[in-house]
Amino acid sequence: MTCQVRQGLHALVVLLIHYPQTSLKTPLLSCFFFFITLHHFLLFFFFLYFFLADMAIWFARSRNIVSSLRQNLGLSAILIKRSYSSPRPVTNYPLSSRVFLGPFTSYRHESTAVETQPDLVQQSDHEDDAQELDFPGGKVGYTSEMKFIPESSSQRIPCYRVLNEHGRIISDTDFIPVSEKLAVRMYEQMATLQVMDHIFYEAQRQGRISFYLTSVGEEAINIASAAALSPEDVVLPQYREPGVLLWRGFTLEEFANQCFGNKADYGKGRQMPIHYGSNQHNYFTVSSPIATQLPQAAGVGYALKMEKKNACAVTFIGDGGTSEGDFHAGLNFAAVMEAPVVFICRNNGWAISTHISEQFRSDGIVVKGQAYGIRSIRVDGNDALAVYSAVRSAREMAVTEQRPVLIEAMTYRVGHHSTSDDSTKYREADEIQYWKMSRNPVNRYRKWVEDNGWWSEEDESKLRSSTRKQLLQAIQAAEKWEKQPLTELFNDVYDVKTKNLEEQELGLKELVEKQPQDYPTGFHI
Amino acid sequence: MAARIHGGAGAGAATALSTFNPKKLVAPSRTNLPAITRSKRYIVASGSDASNKSLRVRHSQKLIANAAVAVCLLSLILHELLLFEALQEGLEEEMDRDPHVCVMGEDVGHYGGSYKVTKGLADKFGDLRVLDTPICENAFTGMGIGAAMTGLRPVIEGMNMGFLLLAFNQISNNCGMLHYTSGGQFTIPVVIRGPGGVGRQLGAEHSQRLESYFQSIPGIQMVACSTPYNAKGLMKAAIRSENPVILFEHVLLYNLKEKIPDEEYICNLEEAEMVRPGEHITILTYSRMRYHVMQAAKTLVNKGYDPEVIDIRSLKPFDLYTIGNSVKKTHRVLIVEECMRTGGIGASLTAAINENFHDYLDAPVMCLSSQDVPTPYAGTLEEWTVVQPAQIVTAVEQLCQ
């Protein structure tokens, strides 16, 4: 830098010294000197430019930027290099020899001097500042700066949202538009889910079913994600996603049958309520252990990839479930396998009584995606349109690019964890009330649908009363429907009953026939 | 449909060969069979002339003999290979036969598997169908279950059976259960296989006997192979089964050599194998202990005993039919197993035999198992945690008093 300054000043000084003198001599000489002056002017600005460039470079902290600039600036790179390289014998030419072609000549001489020894320069650079080295896993750049990556970035990953709290589309937001038919259907299903949750919860409280688990507060995630998928996409739920099945055509009667475990239940009365499953609807049977569905989803994605189907696996998990080992393994596997899987995490703030502050220390779940090499997004889970757009895009990415995608949907679990839980024991009733009323996803979406003129109060009351009626009838019918016979106890353990099972069945039959009074009425073989 | 189900090894073929001279025969091939059946029909329809009959009877006898030998010879087109090669052959044949069969596990791809059971398969079928997974047993077992529910037939390899303890959640809660809890809507035709058992100084963590931990899980089937013949047969049967099957191999048996038939065969998953028929005592065993038992049997035969040795093969469910018939014949049972004393396969088998065949027993069921200790590393110590032939001989002598 000092060289350029010096040379620039040299040129200026020469200019100032010679110009007054030359004007007094012959015109030819004066022309000659004029051109020299001009030349010096240009040189001066030339050097000034690089001086300023150097200043900028000097302020840059990282050598990497310098090195990249070096490559990019060409001739000037050599200039810069000279200043940064190890002290070289830059000869100080006396001012007199710098007249006319002085600076230029000496500069060119130095530049060629530099050029003939590029290897030396490179080598000396490598010794104290190499660019990158090979390790298993690829090239990685070096730094002499010992810097720890902070445990969290200064800013949390922002949340993608389309509708504001008043149900108005935020300006300049990008989203996938929905038709009136789709929008209305989405709203209807969300309202149906609300009614279904309410009625079944009450039924459990009345002792008619043994257990129930509501999705209150998460209707938008349930319905909007289902709406964004195709029927061939295989869904592996956790347990708070009955809305996906509802969207796909599972009737209220079928829901009731499973909850009552009667003869019409597709699960043949073998699972607890809410453990729905239907191969027709591509909805894998809910399995109680948390997060076991995540590696299975990687397997489904693998199978779909092998069979080259235009479909993906979609799996759901809560915030608590992401602490399970299966979450990490499932994501890692899907990434390595390049399997078409969409992982949707419903971050609803609570895992029974464990708040997310006690569950993990990271910025939610979305930042974990990158750790596994998975594209991720954080979405406002209470905004149906945002969820729809995100899931739709994720699904396209998963299928066309054959890669997993992670979606973290931020929401709030308004209801208790299940009917075996009373959440007022570990959280404020005010908090629950706030999220239930002011941040309700159904109301928010309803405002948007009504603003478009696609829904009215009349439609609302009609839908709710008819759904309620249908549900009550379904429950009454399911209750009366006979239960599974004893033979179903031993079926489906294997494809064909083994001898020990046949023996056990026979033994039980004999017992029941011998002493029918010890067994409940309606218990038939 | 060319597969034939063999209950046992080719013992029948050996006896047939000793009676007849194969040189007289035309080289047997499948095209000969229709000719033989046609001639049989001719024999049945023959007339009543005495002299002709005797000629025809001798002729028919010769033809029947020829038929028997041809059938035997068909199974005598043998090739010799090691047990791990037999497993590989079975796996390869099934992968050729059904494009849904795939393999997943650690290092099963281009490396060919830690015990070379999947050698060459990745080159042949590609590295998506023979998948190298990251290290997480629960995850790749879960992955296999998910893939199976979607229509594939995965063969999941655990590098060592002991590592599958990490996959217990998936195996117990999902693999065994989902067919039942989904009401039969989803099937899980997986095969989970890997080497287990006490090896040569592998340390406690690598010498686990998982069959004792898995035996209670409803919904799964367990089989243990012991010879190249039954290894290939059981592998093929397990892959074709609609139920989840756990195939237990043994670390020390991979280099066993045997001649197995060229033609296709599968072994019944629920059947036990009669290794050596006898009269005095029934010895029930499986996997590596079979060889200790056979070694002891040699000594016992010299001492004048006639043990009946049955390789139970099917660990879940037990083949109580074969076992029962044997118990009814000999009235004495000795179980020799590698599981630990407490809660092993032997313990369950003792209970099952006592319950079902108590009236036929002349002496209490005796069970020789490994000690209830973690397997030590030192060779001398390790040797005495498992049952040795000397102990078997003593036990038989004790039972037969």
Side-chain angles (χ1 to χ4, degrees):
Chain A
M1 183 176 63
T2 49
C3 307
Q4 283 116 52
V5 173
R6 232 181 317 124
Q7 283 171 11
L9 287 172
H10 271 310
L12 193 59
V13 161
V14 164
L15 209 69
L16 291 168
I17 290 170
H18 287 281
Y19 191 78
Q21 288 179 1
T22 56
S23 59
L24 301 169
K25 297 285 161 82
T26 58
L28 187 69
L29 268 171
S30 64
C31 283
F32 189 61
F33 280 121
F34 171 72
F35 281 115
I36 300 302
T37 321
L38 186 66
H39 176 261
H40 281 129
F41 253 121
L42 290 170
L43 265 179
F44 172 67
F45 285 112
F46 188 67
F47 285 124
L48 195 63
Y49 166 70
F50 287 112
F51 170 61
L52 291 170
D54 250 345
M55 289 293 286
I57 289 156
W58 187 69
F59 284 118
R61 286 183 180 278
S62 169
R63 283 195 185 174
N64 287 337
I65 297 175
V66 170
S67 64
S68 64
L69 269 174
R70 282 181 198 183
Q71 275 117 40
N72 292 339
L73 287 172
L75 181 66
S76 60
I78 301 165
L79 275 170
I80 298 158
K81 202 176 274 189
R82 273 200 308 156
S83 59
Y84 278 94
S85 58
S86 48
R88 293 167 53 73
V90 178
T91 49
N92 288 318
Y93 295 101
L95 194 62
S96 54
S97 61
R98 297 272 218 149
V99 167
F100 303 138
L101 308 166
F104 198 68
T105 321
S106 63
Y107 171 68
R108 196 161 41 162
H109 173 79
E110 276 179 50
S111 72
T112 50
V114 170
E115 269 177 337
T116 50
Q117 297 175 47
D119 296 318
L120 242 183
V121 173
Q122 295 281 355
Q123 275 163 18
S124 67
D125 275 354
H126 265 280
E127 271 156 34
D128 56 355
D129 184 29
Q131 304 314 300
E132 37 181 44
L133 272 182
D134 274 329
F135 273 119
K139 286 188 190 288
V140 57
Y142 265 77
T143 171
S144 337
E145 199 190 344
M146 184 181 74
K147 196 169 153 203
F148 285 78
I149 302 170
E151 66 276 12
S152 59
S153 62
S154 49
Q155 250 193 331
R156 291 193 67 181
I157 305 278
C159 206
Y160 168 62
R161 144 200 267 220
V162 174
L163 290 176
N164 65 14
E165 287 300 332
H166 308 288
R168 300 246 154 74
I169 293 187
I170 298 166
S171 56
D172 295 332
T173 186
D174 41 33
F175 70 105
I176 299 172
V178 292
S179 64
E180 177 184 342
K181 190 166 161 206
L182 183 64
V184 169
R185 178 150 193 252
M186 272 168 66
Y187 180 73
E188 283 175 338
Q189 297 288 297
M190 282 165 75
T192 308
L193 180 58
Q194 273 191 324
V195 178
M196 186 175 99
D197 271 347
H198 178 70
I199 305 265
F200 277 127
Y201 184 85
E202 292 303 318
Q204 195 278 339
R205 284 285 179 256
Q206 291 168 10
R208 291 158 95 175
I209 52 177
S210 64
F211 176 82
Y212 194 72
L213 199 146
T214 61
S215 320
V216 182
E218 299 181 47
E219 293 88 355
I221 297 176
N222 267 250
I223 302 295
S225 62
L229 301 170
S230 84
E232 288 82 39
D233 293 330
V234 181
V235 175
L236 291 95
Q238 185 173 316
Y239 47 60
R240 223 180 279 279
E241 303 89 19
V244 178
L245 199 50
L246 184 66
W247 177 271
R248 287 188 168 191
F250 214 56
T251 63
L252 297 172
E253 289 76 24
E254 287 169 322
F255 278 112
N257 288 334
Q258 200 284 329
C259 288
F260 282 90
N262 61 26
K263 205 166 175 189
D265 171 26
Y266 298 146
K268 298 184 187 160
R270 291 170 184 152
Q271 259 291 15
M272 286 173 75
I274 67 101
H275 288 62
Y276 314 110
S278 172
N279 54 356
Q280 282 176 334
H281 299 97
N282 280 327
Y283 190 89
F284 275 25
T285 306
V286 174
S287 171
S288 309
I290 300 285
T292 51
Q293 70 275 10
L294 296 175
Q296 289 174 9
V300 172
Y302 168 75
L304 293 172
K305 189 186 170 84
M306 281 264 276
E307 305 196 317
K308 298 197 173 63
K309 287 208 180 124
N310 177 13
C312 67
V314 181
T315 183
F316 292 84
I317 186 80
D319 45 283
T322 63
S323 297
E324 277 282 354
D326 274 353
F327 170 77
H328 307 281
L331 257 66
N332 190 36
F333 271 60
V336 169
M337 239 63 79
E338 289 167 20
V341 187
V342 178
F343 294 96
I344 302 179
C345 175
R346 299 174 290 96
N347 184 347
N348 62 19
W350 294 94
I352 308 189
S353 68
T354 308
H355 187 249
I356 45 171
S357 57
E358 294 169 324
Q359 194 70 249
F360 41 67
R361 281 280 177 275
S362 56
D363 172 20
I365 289 99
V366 65
V367 291
K368 293 181 180 169
Q370 197 177 43
Y372 299 106
I374 292 181
R375 216 169 271 178
S376 354
I377 187 171
R378 174 172 270 162
V379 156
D380 180 352
N382 287 352
D383 177 350
L385 291 181
V387 173
Y388 177 83
S389 294
V391 175
R392 181 88 183 264
S393 315
R395 193 246 172 219
E396 291 310 316
M397 263 190 264
V399 176
T400 52
E401 294 177 55
Q402 292 287 294
R403 56 161 66 245
V405 184
L406 173 65
I407 298 175
E408 180 185 12
M410 311 293 285
T411 181
Y412 188 83
R413 191 196 80 209
V414 172
H416 307 303
H417 166 70
S418 71
T419 50
S420 315
D421 174 48
D422 174 15
S423 59
T424 53
K425 285 211 174 92
Y426 48 81
R427 57 184 186 177
E428 297 295 324
D430 296 337
E431 185 187 310
I432 307 171
Q433 211 38 30
Y434 165 71
W435 282 92
K436 191 173 179 175
M437 305 315 285
S438 328
R439 305 286 293 271
N440 190 314
V442 184
N443 292 348
R444 189 163 149 200
Y445 184 63
R446 180 182 165 181
K447 282 190 201 132
W448 180 72
V449 177
E450 278 182 343
D451 281 346
N452 282 334
W454 298 335
W455 194 254
S456 66
E457 190 58 48
E458 201 191 310
D459 294 326
E460 179 79 18
S461 52
K462 227 195 312 187
L463 174 74
R464 288 199 184 249
S465 62
S466 72
T467 310
R468 190 185 157 83
K469 205 161 125 192
Q470 200 185 346
L471 264 166
L472 289 170
Q473 282 173 349
I475 289 175
Q476 275 172 0
E479 219 171 8
K480 290 205 190 80
W481 211 311
E482 59 180 2
K483 300 284 187 236
Q484 300 286 345
L486 195 59
T487 44
E488 287 303 332
L489 183 62
F490 297 97
N491 281 345
D492 295 326
V493 180
Y494 299 103
D495 54 349
V496 171
K497 264 183 278 212
T498 52
K499 284 245 171 56
N500 61 324
L501 285 178
E502 277 175 0
E503 268 171 36
Q504 289 167 20
E505 190 181 7
L506 209 61
L508 192 55
K509 255 193 211 179
E510 284 170 7
L511 256 176
V512 176
E513 276 165 358
K514 228 193 285 183
Q515 291 158 301
Q517 71 276 10
D518 289 341
Y519 295 88
T521 50
F523 184 65
H524 49 270
I525 303 161
Chain B
M1 252 313 289
R4 289 191 288 136
I5 298 176
H6 288 241
T15 49
L17 192 57
S18 55
T19 334
F20 300 106
N21 185 358
K23 285 185 195 149
K24 281 191 185 169
L25 292 175
V26 169
S29 68
R30 287 201 181 89
T31 51
N32 275 355
L33 288 168
I36 293 163
T37 51
R38 261 184 276 126
S39 53
K40 271 190 180 155
R41 265 181 279 144
Y42 166 79
I43 294 158
V44 168
S46 63
S48 54
D49 185 43
S51 57
N52 277 352
K53 196 179 186 178
S54 60
L55 252 176
R56 280 207 198 96
V57 164
R58 262 182 280 138
H59 180 64
S60 67
Q61 275 178 343
K62 214 195 231 175
L63 278 166
I64 294 166
N66 288 355
V69 182
V71 162
C72 295
L73 268 185
L74 263 173
S75 60
L76 283 177
I77 305 170
L78 304 167
H79 58 287
E80 192 178 43
L81 40 53
L82 304 173
L83 195 142
F84 75 87
E85 288 169 348
L87 287 165
Q88 192 237 16
E89 215 177 73
L91 190 49
E92 197 174 336
E93 282 175 17
E94 288 304 302
M95 287 180 83
D96 277 328
R97 180 177 170 270
D98 184 353
H100 292 109
V101 181
C102 55
V103 183
M104 52 188 72
E106 294 155 13
D107 298 313
V108 295
H110 54 89
Y111 186 68
S114 303
Y115 293 92
K116 300 292 173 240
V117 174
T118 51
K119 190 169 168 191
L121 295 182
D123 295 326
K124 188 172 173 188
F125 299 106
D127 57 13
L128 191 63
R129 211 171 150 195
V130 182
L131 191 65
D132 272 329
T133 63
I135 306 174
C136 187
E137 282 72 15
N138 207 29
F140 63 71
T141 308
M143 200 177 123
I145 292 167
M149 286 165 86
T150 321
L152 294 184
R153 304 185 82 91
V155 176
I156 300 164
E157 172 170 318
M159 194 181 279
N160 186 291
M161 269 289 170
F163 305 158
L164 291 184
L165 284 168
L166 287 146
F168 213 115
N169 186 17
Q170 289 283 354
I171 293 173
S172 172
N173 280 324
N174 288 334
C175 185
M177 280 193 196
L178 273 165
H179 181 62
Y180 186 77
T181 58
S182 69
Q185 291 184 85
F186 296 100
T187 56
I188 308 176
V190 295
V191 176
I192 299 170
R193 49 159 292 270
V198 177
R200 293 243 184 278
Q201 298 192 273
L202 294 177
E205 297 94 341
H206 295 89
S207 310
Q208 297 269 35
R209 280 127 287 168
L210 272 266
E211 53 269 25
S212 54
Y213 305 140
F214 285 152
Q215 63 177 322
S216 286
I217 301 174
I220 56 158
Q221 272 188 273
M222 305 200 305
V223 285
C225 63
S226 48
T227 64
Y229 181 86
N230 62 32
K232 181 177 172 185
L234 289 173
M235 170 74 93
K236 289 167 75 82
I239 293 174
R240 292 187 198 188
S241 167
E242 289 300 316
N243 299 315
V245 179
I246 305 185
L247 171 59
F248 290 91
E249 301 152 14
H250 198 284
V251 275
L252 295 180
L253 299 183
Y254 278 127
N255 290 323
L256 277 179
K257 211 183 263 198
E258 192 189 359
K259 286 196 165 73
I260 65 169
D262 272 1
E263 75 159 357
E264 202 183 13
Y265 67 93
I266 59 175
C267 292
N268 193 326
L269 283 177
E270 288 116 24
E271 235 175 61
E273 189 179 319
M274 178 69 70
V275 184
R276 181 190 187 283
E279 294 291 325
H280 289 163
I281 181 170
T282 301
I283 306 182
L284 301 171
T285 181
Y286 67 93
S287 194
R288 181 188 166 211
M289 287 296 115
R290 168 187 173 140
Y291 296 94
H292 281 208
V293 168
M294 290 312 287
Q295 210 178 329
K298 266 191 236 165
T299 319
L300 286 167
V301 164
N302 289 339
K303 290 195 175 180
Y305 295 95
D306 186 19
E308 178 156 293
V309 181
I310 296 179
D311 181 343
I312 60 173
R313 250 171 33 185
S314 172
L315 306 178
K316 185 182 167 81
F318 292 131
D319 179 8
L320 288 176
Y321 180 73
T322 311
I323 294 169
N325 286 345
S326 177
V327 174
K328 286 171 191 170
K329 188 167 57 166
T330 65
H331 312 297
R332 286 179 176 82
V333 181
L334 172 68
I335 301 170
V336 180
E337 55 150 0
E338 207 176 328
C339 279
M340 310 219 204
R341 189 108 192 88
T342 308
I345 296 286
S348 301
L349 194 51
T350 308
I353 293 171
N354 274 324
E355 262 173 33
N356 290 298
F357 309 116
H358 184 259
D359 294 333
Y360 299 96
L361 290 170
D362 282 349
V365 174
M366 199 172 191
C367 182
L368 294 175
S369 337
S370 302
Q371 329 285 14
D372 279 334
V373 297
T375 312
Y377 168 78
T380 42
L381 293 177
E382 186 188 60
E383 207 182 304
W384 287 100
T385 60
V386 294
V387 178
Q388 297 297 330
Q391 289 170 281
I392 302 171
V393 172
T394 319
V396 170
E397 287 175 342
Q398 210 178 337
L399 268 176
C400 287
Q401 271 166 359

